[in-house]
Short mmCIF file of all heavy atoms in Angstrom, two decimals:
data_model
loop_
_atom_site.label_atom_id
_atom_site.label_comp_id
_atom_site.label_asym_id
_atom_site.label_seq_id
_atom_site.Cartn_x
_atom_site.Cartn_y
_atom_site.Cartn_z
N ALA A 17 -0.25 6.39 7.91
CA ALA A 17 1.01 6.94 8.42
C ALA A 17 2.21 6.33 7.70
O ALA A 17 3.18 7.03 7.37
CB ALA A 17 1.12 6.69 9.92
N LEU A 18 2.15 5.04 7.43
CA LEU A 18 3.24 4.38 6.70
C LEU A 18 3.37 4.96 5.30
O LEU A 18 4.48 5.22 4.82
CB LEU A 18 2.99 2.88 6.63
CG LEU A 18 3.97 2.06 5.81
CD1 LEU A 18 5.40 2.20 6.33
CD2 LEU A 18 3.56 0.58 5.81
N GLY A 19 2.25 5.19 4.63
CA GLY A 19 2.28 5.76 3.29
C GLY A 19 2.93 7.12 3.26
O GLY A 19 3.72 7.44 2.36
N LYS A 20 2.63 7.95 4.25
CA LYS A 20 3.22 9.29 4.31
C LYS A 20 4.72 9.20 4.55
O LYS A 20 5.50 9.97 3.97
CB LYS A 20 2.55 10.09 5.42
CG LYS A 20 1.10 10.48 5.11
CD LYS A 20 0.48 11.23 6.27
CE LYS A 20 -0.97 11.63 5.96
NZ LYS A 20 -1.61 12.33 7.12
N HIS A 21 5.12 8.27 5.41
CA HIS A 21 6.55 8.10 5.71
C HIS A 21 7.31 7.62 4.47
O HIS A 21 8.38 8.15 4.15
CB HIS A 21 6.71 7.11 6.86
CG HIS A 21 8.11 6.92 7.32
ND1 HIS A 21 8.86 7.94 7.86
CD2 HIS A 21 8.91 5.83 7.32
CE1 HIS A 21 10.06 7.48 8.17
NE2 HIS A 21 10.12 6.20 7.86
N CYS A 22 6.75 6.63 3.78
CA CYS A 22 7.40 6.13 2.56
C CYS A 22 7.53 7.23 1.51
O CYS A 22 8.58 7.39 0.87
CB CYS A 22 6.61 4.95 2.00
SG CYS A 22 6.67 3.45 2.99
N ALA A 23 6.46 7.99 1.31
CA ALA A 23 6.48 9.06 0.31
C ALA A 23 7.51 10.13 0.67
O ALA A 23 8.23 10.64 -0.21
CB ALA A 23 5.09 9.67 0.18
N ALA A 24 7.61 10.47 1.95
CA ALA A 24 8.57 11.49 2.39
C ALA A 24 10.01 11.07 2.13
O ALA A 24 10.88 11.91 1.91
CB ALA A 24 8.36 11.80 3.87
N LEU A 25 10.25 9.76 2.14
CA LEU A 25 11.60 9.24 1.90
C LEU A 25 11.86 8.93 0.42
O LEU A 25 12.92 8.43 0.06
CB LEU A 25 11.84 7.98 2.74
CG LEU A 25 11.90 8.21 4.25
CD1 LEU A 25 12.07 6.88 4.99
CD2 LEU A 25 13.03 9.16 4.63
N GLY A 26 10.88 9.22 -0.44
CA GLY A 26 11.05 9.02 -1.88
C GLY A 26 10.62 7.68 -2.39
O GLY A 26 10.95 7.30 -3.52
N TYR A 27 9.84 6.93 -1.59
CA TYR A 27 9.36 5.61 -1.99
C TYR A 27 7.85 5.52 -1.81
O TYR A 27 7.35 4.82 -0.94
CB TYR A 27 10.08 4.51 -1.20
CG TYR A 27 11.55 4.45 -1.51
CD1 TYR A 27 12.46 5.18 -0.74
CD2 TYR A 27 12.02 3.72 -2.59
CE1 TYR A 27 13.82 5.16 -1.04
CE2 TYR A 27 13.37 3.69 -2.89
CZ TYR A 27 14.26 4.41 -2.11
OH TYR A 27 15.61 4.39 -2.42
N PRO A 28 7.09 6.26 -2.62
CA PRO A 28 5.63 6.26 -2.47
C PRO A 28 5.03 4.92 -2.83
O PRO A 28 5.62 4.12 -3.56
CB PRO A 28 5.19 7.34 -3.47
CG PRO A 28 6.26 7.33 -4.52
CD PRO A 28 7.54 7.06 -3.77
N PHE A 29 3.83 4.67 -2.29
CA PHE A 29 3.11 3.45 -2.65
C PHE A 29 2.89 3.42 -4.15
O PHE A 29 2.44 4.39 -4.74
CB PHE A 29 1.76 3.39 -1.95
CG PHE A 29 1.81 3.15 -0.46
CD1 PHE A 29 0.68 3.35 0.32
CD2 PHE A 29 2.97 2.72 0.17
CE1 PHE A 29 0.70 3.12 1.69
CE2 PHE A 29 3.00 2.49 1.53
CZ PHE A 29 1.86 2.69 2.30
N THR A 30 3.17 2.28 -4.76
CA THR A 30 2.88 2.10 -6.19
C THR A 30 1.52 1.43 -6.40
O THR A 30 0.92 1.53 -7.46
CB THR A 30 3.97 1.25 -6.86
OG1 THR A 30 4.05 -0.03 -6.20
CG2 THR A 30 5.32 1.94 -6.80
N VAL A 31 1.06 0.72 -5.37
CA VAL A 31 -0.29 0.15 -5.30
C VAL A 31 -0.79 0.47 -3.90
O VAL A 31 -0.05 0.32 -2.93
CB VAL A 31 -0.29 -1.36 -5.55
CG1 VAL A 31 -1.67 -1.96 -5.28
CG2 VAL A 31 0.16 -1.69 -6.96
N ASP A 32 -2.06 0.89 -3.79
CA ASP A 32 -2.58 1.30 -2.49
C ASP A 32 -4.09 1.10 -2.48
O ASP A 32 -4.82 1.84 -3.15
CB ASP A 32 -2.23 2.77 -2.24
CG ASP A 32 -2.74 3.29 -0.91
OD1 ASP A 32 -3.28 2.49 -0.13
OD2 ASP A 32 -2.60 4.51 -0.67
N THR A 33 -4.57 0.12 -1.74
CA THR A 33 -6.01 -0.14 -1.73
C THR A 33 -6.78 0.96 -1.02
O THR A 33 -8.00 1.08 -1.22
CB THR A 33 -6.33 -1.48 -1.04
OG1 THR A 33 -5.86 -1.45 0.32
CG2 THR A 33 -5.70 -2.65 -1.79
N THR A 34 -6.12 1.79 -0.22
CA THR A 34 -6.85 2.88 0.44
C THR A 34 -7.28 3.94 -0.55
O THR A 34 -8.13 4.78 -0.24
CB THR A 34 -6.01 3.54 1.57
OG1 THR A 34 -4.88 4.19 0.99
CG2 THR A 34 -5.56 2.50 2.57
N GLN A 35 -6.69 3.91 -1.77
CA GLN A 35 -7.12 4.86 -2.79
C GLN A 35 -8.47 4.46 -3.39
O GLN A 35 -9.18 5.29 -3.96
CB GLN A 35 -6.07 4.95 -3.90
CG GLN A 35 -4.74 5.48 -3.44
CD GLN A 35 -4.86 6.87 -2.84
OE1 GLN A 35 -5.37 7.79 -3.46
NE2 GLN A 35 -4.38 7.02 -1.61
N LYS A 36 -8.83 3.19 -3.26
CA LYS A 36 -10.12 2.72 -3.76
C LYS A 36 -11.12 2.55 -2.63
O LYS A 36 -12.32 2.76 -2.81
CB LYS A 36 -9.95 1.39 -4.50
CG LYS A 36 -11.24 0.87 -5.13
CD LYS A 36 -10.99 -0.35 -6.00
CE LYS A 36 -12.29 -0.83 -6.64
NZ LYS A 36 -12.08 -2.00 -7.52
N PHE A 37 -10.62 2.18 -1.47
CA PHE A 37 -11.47 1.97 -0.30
C PHE A 37 -11.02 2.96 0.77
O PHE A 37 -9.84 3.03 1.08
CB PHE A 37 -11.35 0.54 0.23
CG PHE A 37 -11.68 -0.49 -0.82
CD1 PHE A 37 -10.67 -1.03 -1.61
CD2 PHE A 37 -12.97 -0.91 -1.01
CE1 PHE A 37 -10.96 -1.98 -2.58
CE2 PHE A 37 -13.27 -1.86 -1.97
CZ PHE A 37 -12.27 -2.39 -2.75
N ARG A 38 -11.95 3.69 1.32
CA ARG A 38 -11.58 4.74 2.27
C ARG A 38 -10.73 4.16 3.41
O ARG A 38 -10.85 3.00 3.77
CB ARG A 38 -12.84 5.41 2.84
CG ARG A 38 -13.71 4.48 3.66
CD ARG A 38 -14.92 5.21 4.23
NE ARG A 38 -15.79 4.29 4.94
CZ ARG A 38 -15.58 3.88 6.17
NH1 ARG A 38 -14.53 4.29 6.84
NH2 ARG A 38 -16.44 3.04 6.77
N GLU A 39 -9.89 5.00 3.98
CA GLU A 39 -9.01 4.59 5.08
C GLU A 39 -9.84 3.99 6.21
O GLU A 39 -10.85 4.54 6.65
CB GLU A 39 -8.22 5.79 5.60
CG GLU A 39 -7.25 5.46 6.71
CD GLU A 39 -6.11 4.57 6.24
OE1 GLU A 39 -5.74 4.68 5.07
OE2 GLU A 39 -5.62 3.78 7.06
N GLY A 40 -9.42 2.80 6.66
CA GLY A 40 -10.13 2.13 7.74
C GLY A 40 -11.11 1.10 7.27
O GLY A 40 -11.52 0.23 8.03
N SER A 41 -11.53 1.17 5.99
CA SER A 41 -12.43 0.15 5.45
C SER A 41 -11.60 -1.04 5.01
O SER A 41 -10.37 -1.00 5.00
CB SER A 41 -13.25 0.70 4.28
OG SER A 41 -12.42 1.06 3.21
N SER A 42 -12.27 -2.11 4.60
CA SER A 42 -11.55 -3.36 4.33
C SER A 42 -11.67 -3.78 2.88
O SER A 42 -12.72 -3.64 2.26
CB SER A 42 -12.09 -4.49 5.23
OG SER A 42 -11.81 -4.21 6.58
N PHE A 43 -10.56 -4.31 2.38
CA PHE A 43 -10.53 -4.94 1.07
C PHE A 43 -10.74 -6.44 1.28
O PHE A 43 -10.08 -7.05 2.13
CB PHE A 43 -9.19 -4.67 0.41
CG PHE A 43 -9.01 -5.32 -0.93
CD1 PHE A 43 -9.65 -4.83 -2.05
CD2 PHE A 43 -8.22 -6.46 -1.06
CE1 PHE A 43 -9.47 -5.43 -3.28
CE2 PHE A 43 -8.05 -7.07 -2.29
CZ PHE A 43 -8.68 -6.54 -3.41
N ASP A 44 -11.66 -7.02 0.54
CA ASP A 44 -11.98 -8.45 0.70
C ASP A 44 -10.82 -9.28 0.19
O ASP A 44 -10.43 -9.19 -0.97
CB ASP A 44 -13.26 -8.76 -0.08
CG ASP A 44 -13.69 -10.22 0.06
OD1 ASP A 44 -13.08 -10.93 0.88
OD2 ASP A 44 -14.62 -10.64 -0.65
N MET A 45 -10.26 -10.12 1.08
CA MET A 45 -9.16 -11.01 0.72
C MET A 45 -9.57 -12.46 0.97
O MET A 45 -8.89 -13.22 1.67
CB MET A 45 -7.89 -10.63 1.50
CG MET A 45 -7.37 -9.25 1.18
SD MET A 45 -5.78 -8.87 1.95
CE MET A 45 -6.27 -8.64 3.66
N GLY A 46 -10.73 -12.83 0.46
CA GLY A 46 -11.23 -14.19 0.67
C GLY A 46 -11.78 -14.34 2.07
O GLY A 46 -12.74 -13.67 2.44
N ASP A 47 -11.17 -15.23 2.85
CA ASP A 47 -11.62 -15.44 4.23
C ASP A 47 -11.14 -14.33 5.16
O ASP A 47 -11.60 -14.24 6.30
CB ASP A 47 -11.10 -16.79 4.74
CG ASP A 47 -11.67 -17.95 3.96
OD1 ASP A 47 -12.86 -17.90 3.61
OD2 ASP A 47 -10.92 -18.89 3.68
N ALA A 48 -10.24 -13.51 4.70
CA ALA A 48 -9.71 -12.42 5.51
C ALA A 48 -10.11 -11.08 4.87
O ALA A 48 -10.69 -11.03 3.79
CB ALA A 48 -8.19 -12.53 5.61
N ALA A 49 -9.77 -10.00 5.58
CA ALA A 49 -10.05 -8.67 5.07
C ALA A 49 -9.02 -7.71 5.62
O ALA A 49 -8.45 -7.93 6.70
CB ALA A 49 -11.47 -8.23 5.45
N GLY A 50 -8.76 -6.63 4.89
CA GLY A 50 -7.80 -5.65 5.34
C GLY A 50 -7.45 -4.68 4.24
O GLY A 50 -8.25 -4.43 3.32
N GLN A 51 -6.27 -4.11 4.31
CA GLN A 51 -5.75 -3.22 3.29
C GLN A 51 -4.34 -3.68 2.91
O GLN A 51 -3.64 -4.28 3.73
CB GLN A 51 -5.68 -1.78 3.82
CG GLN A 51 -7.01 -1.16 4.18
CD GLN A 51 -7.80 -0.71 2.96
OE1 GLN A 51 -7.41 -0.98 1.83
NE2 GLN A 51 -8.90 -0.01 3.18
N PHE A 52 -3.94 -3.40 1.67
CA PHE A 52 -2.57 -3.70 1.30
C PHE A 52 -2.01 -2.60 0.41
O PHE A 52 -2.74 -1.84 -0.21
CB PHE A 52 -2.45 -5.07 0.62
CG PHE A 52 -3.06 -5.18 -0.75
CD1 PHE A 52 -2.34 -4.82 -1.88
CD2 PHE A 52 -4.35 -5.67 -0.92
CE1 PHE A 52 -2.89 -4.93 -3.15
CE2 PHE A 52 -4.91 -5.80 -2.17
CZ PHE A 52 -4.18 -5.42 -3.30
N ALA A 53 -0.69 -2.52 0.38
CA ALA A 53 0.01 -1.55 -0.44
C ALA A 53 1.38 -2.11 -0.79
O ALA A 53 1.86 -3.06 -0.15
CB ALA A 53 0.15 -0.21 0.29
N TYR A 54 2.00 -1.52 -1.81
CA TYR A 54 3.34 -1.94 -2.25
C TYR A 54 4.24 -0.72 -2.42
O TYR A 54 3.78 0.37 -2.79
CB TYR A 54 3.28 -2.65 -3.60
CG TYR A 54 2.82 -4.09 -3.56
CD1 TYR A 54 1.47 -4.41 -3.44
CD2 TYR A 54 3.73 -5.13 -3.66
CE1 TYR A 54 1.04 -5.72 -3.42
CE2 TYR A 54 3.32 -6.46 -3.65
CZ TYR A 54 1.98 -6.74 -3.52
OH TYR A 54 1.56 -8.05 -3.50
N ILE A 55 5.51 -0.93 -2.16
CA ILE A 55 6.55 -0.02 -2.62
C ILE A 55 7.58 -0.84 -3.38
O ILE A 55 7.58 -2.07 -3.33
CB ILE A 55 7.24 0.74 -1.46
CG1 ILE A 55 7.94 -0.23 -0.50
CG2 ILE A 55 6.25 1.64 -0.73
CD1 ILE A 55 8.84 0.46 0.53
N GLU A 56 8.46 -0.15 -4.08
CA GLU A 56 9.61 -0.78 -4.74
C GLU A 56 10.88 -0.28 -4.06
O GLU A 56 10.98 0.90 -3.72
CB GLU A 56 9.66 -0.42 -6.21
CG GLU A 56 8.49 -0.92 -7.04
CD GLU A 56 8.62 -0.54 -8.50
OE1 GLU A 56 9.69 0.00 -8.88
OE2 GLU A 56 7.66 -0.77 -9.26
N ASP A 57 11.84 -1.17 -3.87
CA ASP A 57 13.14 -0.71 -3.38
C ASP A 57 13.88 -0.04 -4.55
O ASP A 57 13.33 0.03 -5.66
CB ASP A 57 13.91 -1.86 -2.71
CG ASP A 57 14.67 -2.76 -3.67
OD1 ASP A 57 14.53 -2.62 -4.91
OD2 ASP A 57 15.42 -3.63 -3.18
N PRO A 58 15.09 0.49 -4.35
CA PRO A 58 15.75 1.22 -5.44
C PRO A 58 15.96 0.42 -6.71
O PRO A 58 16.15 1.00 -7.79
CB PRO A 58 17.09 1.63 -4.82
CG PRO A 58 16.83 1.68 -3.36
CD PRO A 58 15.85 0.58 -3.10
N ASP A 59 15.92 -0.92 -6.62
CA ASP A 59 16.13 -1.77 -7.80
C ASP A 59 14.84 -2.40 -8.30
O ASP A 59 14.87 -3.29 -9.15
CB ASP A 59 17.16 -2.85 -7.48
CG ASP A 59 18.52 -2.25 -7.13
OD1 ASP A 59 19.13 -1.66 -8.04
OD2 ASP A 59 18.94 -2.34 -5.97
N GLY A 60 13.71 -1.96 -7.76
CA GLY A 60 12.42 -2.44 -8.24
C GLY A 60 11.89 -3.66 -7.54
O GLY A 60 10.83 -4.18 -7.92
N THR A 61 12.58 -4.17 -6.51
CA THR A 61 12.07 -5.31 -5.75
C THR A 61 10.82 -4.90 -4.98
O THR A 61 10.80 -3.85 -4.33
CB THR A 61 13.14 -5.83 -4.78
OG1 THR A 61 14.28 -6.25 -5.55
CG2 THR A 61 12.62 -6.99 -3.95
N LEU A 62 9.78 -5.73 -5.04
CA LEU A 62 8.51 -5.39 -4.44
C LEU A 62 8.48 -5.73 -2.94
O LEU A 62 8.83 -6.83 -2.53
CB LEU A 62 7.37 -6.13 -5.13
CG LEU A 62 7.02 -5.62 -6.54
CD1 LEU A 62 5.94 -6.51 -7.16
CD2 LEU A 62 6.56 -4.18 -6.50
N ILE A 63 8.06 -4.74 -2.16
CA ILE A 63 7.82 -4.89 -0.73
C ILE A 63 6.33 -4.67 -0.52
O ILE A 63 5.79 -3.62 -0.91
CB ILE A 63 8.62 -3.87 0.11
CG1 ILE A 63 10.11 -3.88 -0.28
CG2 ILE A 63 8.41 -4.12 1.59
CD1 ILE A 63 10.84 -5.15 0.02
#
């Protein structure tokens, strides 16, 4: 839902682990697991 909202406002994910791992599955982050994504603000700052 966040990805759709960001894209609708003109700030699509530039990195998105759900593109490699199906939605709801987990990306291994060492002792933790989850999903992550990034957007850039208008000046390229990473969120």
Side-chain angles (χ1 to χ4, degrees):
L18 175 59
K20 290 178 180 178
H21 184 62
C22 290
L25 292 177
Y27 295 92
F29 289 167
T30 58
V31 172
D32 180 6
T33 60
T34 66
Q35 297 301 305
K36 183 173 182 179
F37 303 92
R38 65 179 176 80
E39 182 67 30
S41 63
S42 294
F43 177 75
D44 182 8
M45 296 187 287
D47 297 321
Q51 297 283 7
F52 68 86
Y54 282 79
I55 61 170
E56 296 181 7
D57 83 352
D59 298 294
T61 299
L62 287 176
I63 309 295

